[in-house]
Amino acid sequence: MLTRRHVLGGVAAAALASRAQAQAALAPNWSALAGAFRVPDWFRDAKFGIWAHWSAQCVPEFGDWYGRKMYIQGDSFYEHHLKTYGHPADHGFLEIENAWKAQNWDPEHLIGLYKAAGAKYFMALANHHDNLDTFDSAHHAWNTLRVGPKRDIIGTWEKIARREGLRFAVSNHSAHAWHWWQTAYGYDAEGPRAGQRYDAFKLTKADGAGKWWEGLDPQELYTGPAMVPPDGIPSAKAMRDWHDTHTGRWMEFAPPQNPHHVAKWLLRQKDLVEKYRPDMVYFDDFGMPFGPVGVEALAHYYQQSAARDGQVEVVATAKQLTPFQRTALVDDVERGFSDRLRDEPWQTCTCIGDWHYNRARFEQKSYVPAEKVIQRLCDVVSKNGNLLLSIPMRGDGTIDSEEEKIVAGITGWMRRNGEAAIHGSRPWRIYGEGPTQVGGGMFNEGKVSFEAQDVRFTTKGGALFAALLAWPDRPVTIAALGTRALPDAAIERVRLVGGGPVRFTRNDAGLTLDLPPARSGEFVPVVQIDGRGVA
């Protein structure tokens, strides 16, 4: 006779077996990773995250890739550095790393703003191509506890994000440091200091005696010479062409004759996830870097979660994934759209300005406005994706007044519509309709301009939600909801989320909505559509 004791004992044994299986080593190969990974529900429900893409490259307030471009004679970054800091042979980026003091950083305030704006996960940059770890790094002495802020940036963000109930994520960009930094081993090809090599070429650990970086080896920061420009390049243009050809490509392979960089990358990545237990890791790579080493890092990350949670409850993202890789990773589309409703969850990462703070954006008021951010959010979510949005930070740890206005605009919209139509939602049978054609792929944001006839759908709680990507000044007809498209459905009610009933008519051609005018500050209206056979 099967007793309750037998049943409970069997359940307990099954649970122990399941946990033992989860704690078993996860083989570092794609097939094992695919078998262990599923996109967790928290990520599918979250839909929106905010990113602090913050490093020493924000100190000059001049935009992206400052550390690389300041060593390219004739580039605007080089000219800015020469004018502001001095010649890169004398004052290299090593000095900018230490100039990052984060003296006005108020992480509680910022995370509070982002939580109010509807972010369900918060991402912090753990290192960038400039190769400075922003955490208590056991394997890399060039980190923010010893250099610059003298603080555990990641550890601070992590504690506050979790306390506020947000999922915590980190981004790792350091795989590319080795080729990104090769410009620092170059020289001016022309002018009064022609032929004089920049700081990375000449500095050694011994040169730090009596200086702020005493005991640190600059070659560990700059990664060592791998593709150094040869002597005798005759002009600045020829030097730029040389770098474009030799060091400017996006390289996923290991640096030749420098296995130390790869081994250290793996140690740093393992240390990062063991110390801070991130819910998500963003790899700034096409697939995983360094072949089997990258796969080992991914297996280690998933195994950490499986041992802790009983199954893999974390997310890793990378870019330009093959269909098979997408069974073990979430595809990230940098600064791009999707042209279709995807079967598997995905993410797009973008920014309201430059990835690293650029004061010109503030002065010119050229940030992406809140309305366009929300249009993008609705488009991405309708296609089974998440939006990760970067709000650039100054080197001192603040955001500027224009950025605060944009965050406030996002907050207002999300308070009205987020819980109803975004968080926890799922795609409908189609993503939407409308005249604006959106291409797929990375870096294709372009100048997409949505109209009121561009509609994006989500479903939640048995209701269908339709976001009109611009506020209409006349009735809008949605063909996908007409009797020809949905002959077996009956639409009973339509109301404006955060408002009242919406007048509608329905025929073969579509569902026609007559919305009230937008009130001050309103944009991207969302309507809830209820009825039989709709959602």
Side-chain angles (χ1 to χ4, degrees):
M1 178 178 172
L2 189 62
T3 67
R4 175 178 170 80
R5 180 178 177 183
H6 288 119
V7 171
L8 292 177
V11 170
L16 288 172
S18 176
R19 182 164 292 276
Q21 184 178 7
Q23 291 174 343
L26 181 59
N29 63 65
W30 285 108
S31 295
L33 294 173
F37 179 72
R38 63 171 185 83
V39 180
D41 288 340
W42 74 257
F43 181 80
R44 298 196 67 196
D45 291 341
K47 305 303 181 188
F48 183 47
I50 288 184
W51 191 3
H53 191 279
W54 187 38
S55 76
Q57 290 182 84
C58 300
V59 170
E61 299 190 350
F62 206 71
D64 294 340
W65 283 28
Y66 189 95
R68 176 178 170 82
K69 293 180 180 180
M70 61 164 273
Y71 292 104
I72 301 176
Q73 188 179 27
D75 194 285
S76 61
F77 287 74
Y78 171 95
E79 300 299 336
H80 176 83
H81 192 82
L82 194 66
K83 177 181 176 181
T84 308
Y85 300 104
H87 194 273
D90 307 326
H91 194 106
F93 195 80
L94 174 151
E95 300 293 345
I96 304 295
E97 301 280 21
N98 200 50
W100 181 27
K101 300 304 184 186
Q103 65 272 23
N104 296 318
W105 181 37
D106 186 350
E108 290 90 351
H109 171 69
L110 292 173
I111 288 181
L113 284 181
Y114 302 154
K115 179 180 178 180
K120 296 297 185 182
Y121 55 105
F122 171 79
M123 179 176 287
L125 184 144
N127 47 47
H128 201 253
H129 311 321
D130 65 343
N131 209 32
L132 182 74
D133 284 347
T134 65
F135 60 96
D136 186 11
S137 182
H139 303 286
H140 190 49
W142 287 89
N143 64 71
T144 55
L145 279 80
R146 296 187 64 175
V147 176
K150 304 293 178 63
R151 297 180 67 175
D152 184 352
I153 303 292
I154 291 296
T156 304
W157 284 126
E158 185 260 341
K159 287 182 177 63
I160 298 165
R162 294 200 194 282
R163 189 174 69 215
E164 291 297 318
L166 301 183
R167 294 284 180 164
F168 181 66
V170 296
S171 63
N172 184 342
H173 309 250
S174 60
H176 297 281
W178 73 271
H179 62 85
W180 193 85
W181 265 138
Q182 293 306 302
T183 58
Y185 291 87
Y187 56 90
D188 285 4
E190 56 187 67
R193 301 190 65 168
Q196 295 181 23
R197 293 278 177 174
Y198 302 139
D199 67 319
F201 187 85
K202 58 189 181 182
L203 291 180
T204 67
K205 187 174 183 177
D207 294 315
K211 299 183 174 66
W212 65 262
W213 50 276
E214 185 170 8
L216 297 174
D217 186 353
Q219 295 308 309
E220 291 186 11
L221 176 69
Y222 292 122
T223 73
M227 291 180 285
V228 174
D231 293 333
I233 294 178
S235 69
K237 181 183 183 304
M239 180 68 80
R240 292 194 298 273
D241 291 344
W242 190 93
H243 279 300
D244 285 344
T245 301
H246 293 84
T247 72
R249 294 172 292 126
W250 196 245
M251 304 178 196
E252 301 293 346
F253 53 85
Q257 300 178 333
N258 188 2
H260 173 72
H261 176 73
V262 177
K264 191 173 179 180
W265 177 89
L266 180 61
L267 289 171
R268 290 159 69 189
Q269 167 61 23
K270 288 183 175 181
D271 186 37
L272 176 65
V273 301
E274 288 172 4
K275 278 193 171 93
Y276 304 99
R277 302 171 293 105
D279 299 291
M280 178 177 174
V281 175
Y282 171 110
F283 292 102
D284 193 5
D285 300 280
F286 294 175
M288 293 301 297
F290 309 139
V293 173
V295 176
E296 180 181 345
L298 188 60
H300 170 265
Y301 178 45
Y302 287 172
Q303 182 58 45
Q304 294 290 306
S305 175
R308 184 174 62 244
D309 306 319
Q311 60 184 355
V312 177
E313 283 291 321
V314 297
V315 173
T317 71
K319 305 170 188 180
Q320 302 280 28
L321 302 180
T322 66
F324 184 61
Q325 289 172 334
R326 290 199 297 271
T327 64
L329 282 163
V330 169
D331 196 23
D332 180 85
V333 181
E334 182 175 351
R335 287 192 181 273
F337 287 91
S338 175
D339 58 359
R340 67 192 189 281
L341 168 56
R342 296 191 177 200
D343 292 335
E344 67 278 342
W346 59 286
Q347 176 181 268
T348 187
C349 63
T350 190
C351 184
I352 64 169
D354 294 6
W355 287 121
H356 288 99
Y357 189 85
N358 186 350
R359 185 167 181 80
R361 290 276 195 169
F362 169 74
E363 294 171 344
Q364 299 163 5
K365 295 189 170 38
S366 61
Y367 289 121
V368 177
E371 180 178 10
K372 286 190 174 293
V373 171
I374 294 301
Q375 290 173 338
R376 183 68 171 279
L377 175 69
C378 293
D379 179 74
V380 168
V381 171
S382 74
K383 296 170 181 174
N384 205 22
N386 286 19
L387 174 64
L388 175 63
L389 180 71
S390 174
I391 307 294
M393 293 174 63
R394 296 185 184 107
D396 71 356
T398 62
I399 63 174
D400 65 44
S401 57
E402 290 299 309
E403 293 176 294
E404 288 177 352
K405 291 176 186 175
I406 292 167
V407 173
I410 296 169
T411 302
W413 190 91
M414 291 294 277
R415 280 176 177 164
R416 286 190 297 273
N417 302 287
E419 288 305 316
I422 300 295
H423 299 135
S425 69
R426 294 293 182 265
W428 194 47
R429 60 193 72 182
I430 61 172
Y431 70 81
E433 63 181 48
T436 303
Q437 298 299 306
V438 177
M442 292 172 58
F443 303 110
N444 74 340
E445 291 174 330
K447 295 184 179 180
V448 174
S449 182
F450 289 111
E451 304 176 14
Q453 290 76 26
D454 292 308
V455 179
R456 297 295 183 264
F457 299 118
T458 59
T459 63
K460 183 179 177 182
L464 175 66
F465 295 90
L468 282 59
L469 299 189
W471 203 290
D473 56 8
R474 59 180 62 89
V476 171
T477 298
I478 304 174
L481 299 178
T483 55
R484 183 184 302 118
L486 291 176
D488 298 324
I491 293 176
E492 299 163 356
R493 291 176 302 280
V494 179
R495 68 174 186 86
L496 186 64
V497 175
V502 173
R503 289 179 294 179
F504 69 93
T505 58
R506 186 173 185 243
N507 55 30
D508 280 359
L511 177 71
T512 300
L513 306 177
D514 188 5
L515 270 67
R519 294 173 294 187
S520 177
E522 287 188 323
F523 48 81
V524 186
V526 179
V527 296
Q528 177 175 333
I529 301 161
D530 296 296
R532 175 176 49 80
V534 176

